[in-house]
Amino acid sequence: MNALTTGLARYLDETRLQRIRQTKVGIAGAGGLGSNCAQLLVRSGFIDFVLVDFDVLECSNLNRQFFFQDQIGQPKVQGLADNLRQINPDVSVRMVQARITPESVDTIFADCGVVVEAMDTPECKQMLAAAYSRSGKLLVAASGLAGWGDSDRIAVHRIHDSFYLVGDLSSGVECGLPPMAPCVTIAAAKQADIILSWVLGDLPVGKQGGL
Amino acid sequence: MHVQINGKATEVEPGMTLAEFIAMKGLKPESVVIEHNGTILPRERWRGVALTSADQLQIVSFVGGG
């Protein structure tokens, strides 16, 4: 037991902790959504991850992503794996520093029970959602989390029993709204909470909808 | 004619295809995922599917940011 697992045992019984530990989570994108969602999952007891991101850390990421100044220039998957192990040294990460393509999307998370869509562009989000909706895995995607204010707009939408979508569905960065830490982190936190609820058997949550 | 879209009865012109419906809504096809009666329908097939009143659709249109 390390300090985190000792602490967690105060809040969750062994049956629940075991269910959490045994769930492998695939995260597509280690940016504002993916890095923050991963952090919250690790704090909740998750230890098994597949992280996919082609990018390296830039100055413009620090406003909202779970990284630090001395990691600028590092691959995000490496930096995030290091940061997650600072929270729990037992975390195991398969790092994939690559773009997800139409050729790789179907197989990249084959061994995961949960897939987090945490990518930037609508086209990439679409590709991942089309591949993993009805895949038998839990898919948790996000759309509409840019800007600030009226943060209750960032809602949980249940598309079907294994596909959840977090966001206001309309505030995209292409509307000129910058991605800022509070709303991006709220969306990431809601993604993490859906996963935790699913693993602990407390779904369905959220309202139905999607357009 | 009414079609169930995202759990809501939505008025649709009889004979309208999925591709026409997405265009009418002003959505970008490359940002949209459509589930037609519980099956994900690839974009290439939208032009060949005419909507009927028995159809259940889930339509998700993504915006950017992450």
Side-chain angles (χ1 to χ4, degrees), chain B residues 1-52:
Chain B
M1 178 182 83
H2 284 93
V3 178
Q4 287 291 319
I5 299 179
N6 297 341
K8 278 182 260 174
T10 307
E11 179 72 35
V12 172
E13 288 279 311
M16 185 176 254
T17 67
L18 264 177
E20 288 165 347
F21 180 78
I22 294 301
M24 183 195 77
K25 284 281 175 189
L27 300 174
K28 281 204 225 156
E30 60 275 18
S31 308
V32 171
V33 177
I34 300 181
E35 257 193 34
H36 180 246
N37 302 326
T39 307
I40 297 284
L41 214 55
R43 204 153 55 232
E44 314 79 82
R45 292 184 48 200
W46 295 356
R47 287 173 61 183
V49 176
L51 295 171
T52 74

Side-chain angles (χ1 to χ4, degrees), chain A residues 64 119-120 122 125-126 133-134 143-144 159-160 165 172-174 208 210-211, chain B residues 6 27 30-33 35 38 40 43 58-66:
Chain A
R64 66 192 187 283
M119 296 196 286
D120 256 342
K125 289 170 178 290
Q126 190 278 348
S133 176
R134 306 284 182 193
S143 179
I159 306 303
H160 58 68
L165 181 62
V173 290
E174 60 274 27
Q208 207 176 6
L211 188 60
Chain B
N6 297 341
L27 300 174
E30 60 275 18
S31 308
V32 171
V33 177
E35 257 193 34
I40 297 284
R43 204 153 55 232
Q58 289 288 342
I59 300 177
V60 177
S61 176
F62 286 100
V63 297

Side-chain angles (χ1 to χ4, degrees), chain A residues 73-84:
Chain A
Q74 275 186 25
K76 286 185 178 181
V77 288
Q78 180 65 60
L80 182 55
D82 292 344
N83 294 345
L84 297 177

Side-chain angles (χ1 to χ4, degrees), chain A residues 19-63:
Chain A
R19 230 184 277 167
I20 291 169
R21 281 197 303 269
Q22 287 171 348
T23 303
K24 183 178 283 204
V25 181
I27 303 185
L33 291 167
S35 66
N36 286 306
C37 183
Q39 179 204 171
L40 297 172
L41 291 173
V42 169
R43 291 192 192 281
S44 305
F46 290 83
I47 55 168
D48 202 0
F49 294 91
V50 177
L51 299 179
V52 185
D53 198 301
F54 69 94
D55 218 352
V56 296
L57 190 69
E58 295 175 28
C59 305
S60 61
N61 303 142
L62 287 177
N63 81 317

Side-chain angles (χ1 to χ4, degrees), chain A residues 123-176:
Chain A
E123 295 78 13
C124 287
K125 289 170 178 290
Q126 190 278 348
M127 173 177 63
L128 202 87
Y132 286 99
S133 176
R134 306 284 182 193
S135 65
K137 305 174 191 299
L138 175 69
L139 170 64
V140 187
S143 179
L145 41 90
W148 52 82
D150 185 23
S151 62
D152 286 350
R153 65 192 158 94
I154 302 192
V156 173
H157 305 267
R158 182 166 54 86
I159 306 303
H160 58 68
D161 285 349
S162 59
F163 179 8
Y164 284 80
L165 181 62
V166 174
D168 69 10
L169 313 182
S170 63
S171 302
V173 290
E174 60 274 27
C175 311

